[in-house]
Amino acid sequence: MLKVIKYILLPVTCSAVFGCQPNHSASDIDRMVSELTEKAVLDQVFIEGGTFVMGDFGAVQNGQWLPYFPPAAAEDIAHEVTVSSFSLSKYETTWGDFDLFSIETGRPVVLRSRGEEIKRAPFEQNVGQSYYEKKPARVSWQEAKDYCLWLAEKTNLAFDLPTSAQWEFAARNRGSKEWLYPTHDGQLSAGYEASNMDGCVTWTRVCPVGQQFPANPLGLYDMAGNIEEWVNDWYSDTYYQGSHGAKDPLGPPEGQLKETRGHGLGSLDFSFTRAPTVLVSQEGFLTAAGFRCVVHRSKPIR
């Protein structure tokens, strides 16, 4: 079961807009930050590194490479890379986690809608709300990066956003070609409908973290389904073509777009195709996605 921080003993205030929400003293915040950082360390799954074929790894038949996910694109071309051992959070970062980070660092806790930011109460208790505290946080790339680096500061561990290579290696059960999708069994799985689970939004299929599918063999949840996730890499549609044999690839040194990885399980949402995402849309809205943090360390952290 997912361990969650409890707030029920704290005093609450109520309003017509936000309903009843807890008040938090400085000592409450310090305690909750300590609990969150301890949990962030405990939730890290150690993943032994290795060499794998990254991208649209496909298959070779009669001497011709055939992709699993047509139409093949040069930006997704299969290439062999090696990743060192690392640790990755078994869960996506929740709104409860991110709200606490925002409070502790003096950032506003806001509702974003149509380019506007509206102040909201943290730690939403209503399971039907998109900001429910156990649902995955959807934030900008910089906010995700800042959160992971905040954990690094609090724990003295090398927390950061995962690289695209680390994310794919973990989602594919250490790069296995048997894992066509990042589910618990590597296949498109039936029987886990979002509409059947408490707190899931049917039309978006976004659920509280750790609910929609069983964990994959490494112990990671929601690498498939739920929401797309930020990785550290810049995006380039030519980077994969020159990356064969790379060790711990970091992506292009600069760029205009950041990558997200992972999608829903619809017929066109292939989870191992990279998804370049604009940081700011033409309308000026920040692009938002979910995320989880990695620890760059070649040995288990506990």
Side-chain angles (χ1 to χ4, degrees):
M1 294 291 290
L2 172 60
K3 177 184 176 184
V4 293
I5 301 172
K6 302 294 185 183
Y7 307 105
I8 56 176
L9 298 181
L10 298 176
V12 300
T13 57
C14 301
S15 74
V17 176
F18 296 118
C20 295
Q21 297 290 344
N23 288 327
H24 305 286
S25 67
S27 60
D28 291 332
I29 296 300
D30 288 344
R31 173 182 55 79
M32 289 192 293
V33 168
S34 178
E35 291 175 353
L36 186 153
T37 53
E38 178 183 3
K39 177 179 177 297
V41 172
L42 291 175
D43 283 348
Q44 287 289 310
V45 174
F46 180 70
I47 301 169
E48 187 176 351
T51 298
F52 75 112
V53 178
M54 184 178 179
D56 193 351
F57 50 94
V60 176
Q61 295 181 10
N62 299 323
Q64 181 183 8
W65 172 67
L66 299 175
Y68 279 122
F69 306 141
E75 61 263 29
D76 295 318
I77 193 168
H79 59 292
E80 186 176 273
V81 301
T82 299
V83 294
S84 301
S85 300
F86 60 96
S87 295
L88 184 65
S89 176
K90 65 174 67 174
Y91 301 113
E92 294 166 324
T93 303
T94 67
W95 276 119
D97 299 335
F98 194 81
D99 286 352
L100 183 56
F101 156 71
S102 297
I103 293 170
E104 206 272 345
T105 58
R107 300 170 184 236
V109 178
V110 296
L111 167 68
R112 292 189 174 121
S113 177
R114 298 183 178 182
E116 296 183 359
E117 293 185 349
I118 304 170
K119 186 176 180 180
R120 64 176 175 85
F123 312 121
E124 175 61 58
Q125 302 295 303
N126 184 343
V127 297
Q129 293 295 323
S130 60
Y131 286 87
Y132 174 51
E133 65 174 359
K134 297 177 187 176
K135 288 180 180 174
R138 292 183 66 99
V139 299
S140 71
W141 180 89
Q142 189 62 60
E143 289 173 320
K145 177 82 168 179
D146 290 347
Y147 177 92
C148 294
L149 295 182
W150 173 74
L151 286 181
E153 180 183 348
K154 294 295 183 182
T155 62
N156 292 316
L157 293 168
F159 276 91
D160 204 343
L161 287 175
T163 65
S164 188
Q166 288 173 326
W167 193 98
E168 183 171 331
F169 185 73
R172 278 180 40 207
N173 190 24
R174 298 190 65 250
S176 169
K177 282 191 175 182
E178 303 302 317
W179 247 252
L180 304 187
Y181 297 90
T183 55
H184 64 288
D185 58 3
Q187 305 297 317
L188 276 176
S189 302
Y192 297 96
E193 294 295 332
S195 58
N196 295 332
M197 290 176 283
D198 187 33
C200 297
V201 181
T202 303
W203 68 277
T204 63
R205 301 182 67 84
V206 175
C207 301
V209 301
Q211 279 196 21
Q212 194 166 5
F213 289 92
N216 78 359
L218 299 176
L220 304 172
Y221 291 87
D222 299 319
M223 302 298 277
N226 248 5
I227 60 177
E228 69 278 13
E229 299 180 14
W230 290 117
V231 293
N232 219 17
D233 302 38
W234 288 106
Y235 174 79
S236 166
D237 58 9
T238 61
Y239 182 72
Y240 277 17
Q241 298 174 50
S243 300
H244 185 75
K247 172 74 179 294
D248 293 323
L250 301 176
E254 58 185 6
Q256 303 266 332
L257 309 172
K258 285 292 185 179
E259 285 190 24
T260 59
R261 300 301 305 262
H263 295 277
L265 292 175
S267 60
L268 298 178
D269 291 333
F270 300 121
S271 295
F272 300 126
T273 300
R274 296 182 296 165
T277 303
V278 292
L279 296 180
V280 182
S281 71
Q282 291 180 350
E283 295 81 11
F285 305 158
L286 282 172
T287 299
F291 71 101
R292 69 185 75 214
C293 300
V294 71
V295 173
H296 295 295
R297 181 173 172 176
S298 59
K299 298 180 180 179
I301 61 177
R302 62 182 189 281

